[in-house]
Amino acid sequence: MEDVARRAQVSRALVSLVFQDSPKVSAESRRKVLEAEAELGYRKNALAQSLASKHPRTIGVHIQDISNPYLAAVYAGVAEAAGKWGYDLLVGPGSGPDTREADLINTLLSHQVCGLILQSPYLPTDELATLLSGMPAVLIGRNAPIDQVDLVFTDEIQSAQLVVSHLVELGHTDIVHISGGSTACATAREEGFRRAMDEASLPARVVPGDFIEEAGTLAVRQLLTDRALPTAIFAVNDLVAVGAMGVLHEAGLRVPADVSIVGFDDTNIAKLGLVQLTTVRQNVDAFGQVAVQMLIDRVTSGRAERARMRMDGQLIVRKTTGPVPPRL
Amino acid sequence: MEDVARRAQVSRALVSLVFQDSPKVSAESRRKVLEAEAELGYRKNALAQSLASKHPRTIGVHIQDISNPYLAAVYAGVAEAAGKWGYDLLVGPGSGPDTREADLINTLLSHQVCGLILQSPYLPTDELATLLSGMPAVLIGRNAPIDQVDLVFTDEIQSAQLVVSHLVELGHTDIVHISGGSTACATAREEGFRRAMDEASLPARVVPGDFIEEAGTLAVRQLLTDRALPTAIFAVNDLVAVGAMGVLHEAGLRVPADVSIVGFDDTNIAKLGLVQLTTVRQNVDAFGQVAVQMLIDRVTSGRAERARMRMDGQLIVRKTTGPVPPRL
DNA sequence: GTGAAAGCGCTAACAC
DNA sequence: GTGTTAGCGCTTTCAC
């Protein structure tokens, strides 16, 4: 930076001002500085910048399950929005459910980010709260009651209702939900399913499961041996739905002629020609944008109240749902 | 840190030494410092640390297609190895093939990482070279001839040979490769296919494609209308293979009874019960470890020569390959 | 072993 | 508008 200043024949301070495009610098000086910068191939030192500044322009991101395309899309939105606002992104090192979320978040924090955007389905609410204390953050896809943390999430209740109405309209009355265990998001979907079935005066059958394919295969195998197969299955996510489809296929049952199946997330698997799964899509495009805006707003305005943004899910009807088969 | 020093009744410098566990500090002092640290809930400022030190312990990572489970696994290996060596990881903001790789790498660089680990399939070699000039880096899954850049990659030639021998052993002589365009990795696979077919004295039919499902559907549709369907298809990756399977299925053809299919990467899609794709797995577990070690070695030793690590692929035989159907 | 002092590359408050 | 100065939180000589 010293070099840039010398080459442009100005002081270091002025160079600094140019880079934050302050209004108090003459067009002439700005031009000279920019020119010198380009000629020298100068690259800012984000570290020094954040260290000296009381308002670092780096936001930390942690998305647990980035291999889920729904979250990858959220992430893309975050990246785009951050770029537009002139913020750098730092992503915590972690993928897969086994990584220690707390460590990752600490790494991010130690790099002095100005705020955090997290999708953290596993960390208990209280741990999250102590970890985040005093740090602006927005949580994605999880309705956690933590002060000073903003929220963006899909209305799982409404989404589940969408699924149930779709199936009920097709004539289904015997519907099983394969749940996803005890994560925040799984319980919300299950709750939504129960409520929707209640409203339709239908019995809500729930089989415990997980977010992996095997949960789907196991659940359906059990239903098969119990001779308790329903006419429709609502899986907690696409992977589980596909697991279920696989077993039905093996058993010589047709989807949707014999059993209808609905997933959740609209992942790339759901779109596969071989699968063509009816599923629920979350409003991914908006998620990232909203999250970044919430965070920047809180950081710059010093807002203290919690902001929450609940978004509707959207039913994507493909080829795994159909009319209820005639009773034999 | 000032506070920690005061609480432990020592100087700031000593605290610094303890954190880098220098040998020149007494057990007594160390204990006191560690205790004070814990009590105060001190968290290091990675920024200040990297800024002051001539040897920052943060390595930058950019993996373009993290949604590919093969790469996610590589990444997990990197994360584990980095942790073991006491290095922080910073990940560049980017997902999907449309993000500007150069920008991401620049972001990483501006955060003063001590080196880079990259999977960067799209960036031209020369751009990469200028971008990386002087910065220790290891490239994953790409055999690019850049000085001062270390390499870890799968032997695509050998992998393609594995696939071809498998199919030839099953009696196939009419094999089509759906290629992946002009990325480094696609051309290597195609080259391997051509060589292996040559060695088997078989004609090498190649259909141009891409790394997406649609490439598989398009290619097979074309083969179908041309009445030029082979008895076996070797797709550039799993996604393309599944696209191909989908179309064959629609057309009433059975896999592998009528046509055998092989993919590449052993992604989660290949493992799906509905798919059970024969494919090639790369030695993901070793990739990350090796990459981190190469990088740290170069950073600490100042080694100037290039290191390269070529690894063998492994054929995973599932249920999409079978004996060649009898000629009608 | 331990403490004092200089400085990493930048921003920010102030005077010119 | 522009230059000067003092730090941000840490590491690192270098004396003691």
Side-chain angles (χ1 to χ4, degrees), chain B residues 257-274:
Chain B
D258 296 315
V259 181
S260 287
I261 303 224
V262 183
F264 208 110
D265 281 350
D266 196 23
T267 57
N268 60 345
I269 289 176
K271 291 177 193 135
L272 252 29
L274 223 44

Side-chain angles (χ1 to χ4, degrees), chain A residues 1 12 16 20 42 45 49 52:
Chain A
M1 181 152 147
R12 296 213 311 278
S16 175
Q20 332 170 38
Y42 169 83
N45 184 328
Q49 197 171 305

Side-chain angles (χ1 to χ4, degrees), chain A residues 200-253:
Chain A
S201 305
L202 259 23
R205 290 169 62 195
V206 175
V207 178
D210 200 344
F211 283 91
I212 58 175
E213 189 191 5
E214 215 188 346
T217 63
L218 252 45
V220 173
R221 285 220 181 93
Q222 191 60 50
L223 288 168
L224 243 23
T225 57
D226 291 353
R227 302 185 156 282
L229 206 65
T231 63
I233 295 177
F234 169 32
V236 71
N237 75 358
D238 289 348
L239 206 49
V240 173
V242 172
M245 280 177 76
V247 174
L248 291 171
H249 196 253
E250 271 175 26
L253 261 22

Side-chain angles (χ1 to χ4, degrees), chain B residues 1 16 20 42 52:
Chain B
M1 179 152 148
S16 175
Q20 336 171 35
Y42 169 83

Side-chain angles (χ1 to χ4, degrees), chain A residues 136-328:
Chain A
V138 13
L139 226 48
I140 288 182
R142 172 170 172 176
N143 189 351
I146 305 178
D147 284 345
Q148 201 161 1
V149 168
D150 297 333
L151 266 24
V152 187
F153 57 97
T154 290
D155 190 336
E156 317 264 3
I157 306 284
Q158 170 265 349
S159 300
Q161 252 151 2
L162 233 42
V163 171
V164 171
S165 340
H166 172 60
L167 293 173
V168 167
E169 270 171 31
L170 289 168
H172 295 273
T173 53
D174 187 7
I175 307 175
V176 162
H177 174 57
I178 305 177
S179 84
S182 58
T183 63
C185 157
T187 50
R189 283 174 202 177
E190 181 177 338
E191 167 72 12
F193 171 71
R194 287 187 188 281
R195 278 208 223 165
M197 291 300 276
D198 250 27
E199 278 167 27
S201 305
L202 259 23
R205 290 169 62 195
V206 175
V207 178
D210 200 344
F211 283 91
I212 58 175
E213 189 191 5
E214 215 188 346
T217 63
L218 252 45
V220 173
R221 285 220 181 93
Q222 191 60 50
L223 288 168
L224 243 23
T225 57
D226 291 353
R227 302 185 156 282
L229 206 65
T231 63
I233 295 177
F234 169 32
V236 71
N237 75 358
D238 289 348
L239 206 49
V240 173
V242 172
M245 280 177 76
V247 174
L248 291 171
H249 196 253
E250 271 175 26
L253 261 22
R254 292 154 306 160
V255 174
D258 295 316
V259 182
S260 287
I261 303 226
V262 183
F264 208 110
D265 281 350
D266 196 24
T267 58
N268 59 345
I269 291 177
K271 290 176 193 140
L272 252 29
L274 225 44
V275 176
Q276 304 198 45
L277 184 67
T278 295
T279 188
V280 176
R281 177 187 298 164
Q282 310 192 44
N283 188 359
V284 287
D285 298 328
F287 266 48
Q289 301 267 352
V290 170
V292 170
Q293 271 169 32
M294 275 181 174
L295 189 59
I296 295 182
D297 170 54
R298 184 183 281 263
V299 167
T300 54
S301 79
R303 164 171 59 79
E305 319 81 60
R306 261 167 64 192
R308 343 165 75 241
M309 181 86 168
R310 185 207 317 261
M311 295 189 166
D312 282 352
Q314 180 191 355
L315 188 71
I316 308 289
V317 179
R318 293 207 181 85
K319 304 197 171 163
T320 58
T321 45
V324 63
R327 289 265 169 215
L328 302 179

